[in-house]
Amino acid sequence: RMRLDNHQKVRDNFMRAIRTQFETSKAKLESGHGIDEACRGLINLPSVVRCWVVDGAGAQHTPNITTQRAPEKSDPRFAPMSTQQGAAWHLRHYYRRAATTPGEIQMTRPYFSLTGSHIVVTLSVALARPTGMVVLCCDVDSQYFLETREAAS
């Protein structure tokens, strides 16, 4: 029981740090910064794999912001997924939930990423920009949860 409680505390602190930085990225995007500047602090967190923005219709017009930890950077099999420009995300659950609750951060359950061979959790939030609504998204590698669990044991 104590190990489980300790793991829960570590995981909660970890997610709190990511959500805080995600809020900062959201605020920067709302104030007019580009995705590179807005997500700089977020993408530097150890478990964040990628960030991206889609428009109000669910289309992605800018490239993903990725880290060297992203599978498409380290495994040639995922190279075709390295650019998502032109992708349509309007059917994805993280986009739909964010679009229907603007301003509220959404977090998915862990799922298998389309852009790599790993399980991720996606954070998403809809926000207003001068050009209309956009949705900021961020993939967090769920492997970190396993590592924090082992560290807490």
Side-chain angles (χ1 to χ4, degrees), residues 14-28:
F14 161 73
M15 284 311 298
R16 193 173 303 111
I18 288 180
R19 287 180 67 95
T20 298
Q21 191 60 56
F22 191 75
E23 285 278 357
T24 300
S25 296
K26 172 185 173 278
K28 286 182 176 183

Side-chain angles (χ1 to χ4, degrees), residues 21-42 127-129 136:
Q21 191 60 56
F22 191 75
E23 285 278 357
T24 300
S25 296
K26 172 185 173 278
K28 286 182 176 183
L29 275 177
E30 286 174 320
S31 69
H33 291 277
I35 185 172
D36 289 320
E37 173 65 26
C39 293
R40 184 168 292 136
L42 184 61
L127 54 111
R129 295 275 308 230
L136 170 63

Side-chain angles (χ1 to χ4, degrees), residues 38-147:
C39 293
R40 184 168 292 136
L42 184 61
I43 202 70
N44 286 326
L45 294 175
S47 59
V48 173
V49 179
R50 78 184 47 75
C51 300
W52 69 101
V53 174
V54 298
D55 68 17
Q60 183 174 346
H61 300 287
T62 57
N64 293 337
I65 306 299
T66 59
T67 66
Q68 291 303 318
R69 296 178 305 278
E72 60 267 27
K73 299 260 179 142
S74 61
D75 189 331
R77 294 175 299 165
F78 297 105
M81 301 300 288
S82 64
T83 179
Q84 296 296 317
Q85 284 181 265
W89 302 112
H90 64 280
L91 297 177
R92 300 298 291 176
H93 56 289
Y94 53 80
Y95 171 83
R96 289 194 329 245
R97 286 179 59 199
T100 59
T101 56
E104 291 183 29
I105 295 177
Q106 303 297 318
M107 186 171 85
T108 66
R109 292 184 176 119
Y111 67 97
F112 193 76
S113 173
L114 292 173
T115 57
S117 60
H118 60 291
I119 306 296
V120 297
V121 172
T122 300
L123 298 176
S124 59
V125 64
L127 54 111
R129 295 275 308 230
T131 57
M133 182 189 84
V134 297
V135 176
L136 170 63
C137 305
C138 168
D139 278 350
V140 178
D141 188 342
S142 68
Q143 180 65 33
Y144 180 83
F145 294 116
L146 297 174
E147 291 169 5

Side-chain angles (χ1 to χ4, degrees), residues 1-18:
R1 175 88 179 134
M2 179 120 163
R3 286 182 183 173
L4 186 58
D5 289 343
N6 201 17
H7 169 64
Q8 183 68 36
K9 286 178 186 175
V10 170
R11 194 180 77 176
D12 289 350
N13 287 337
F14 161 73
M15 284 311 298
R16 193 173 303 111
I18 288 180

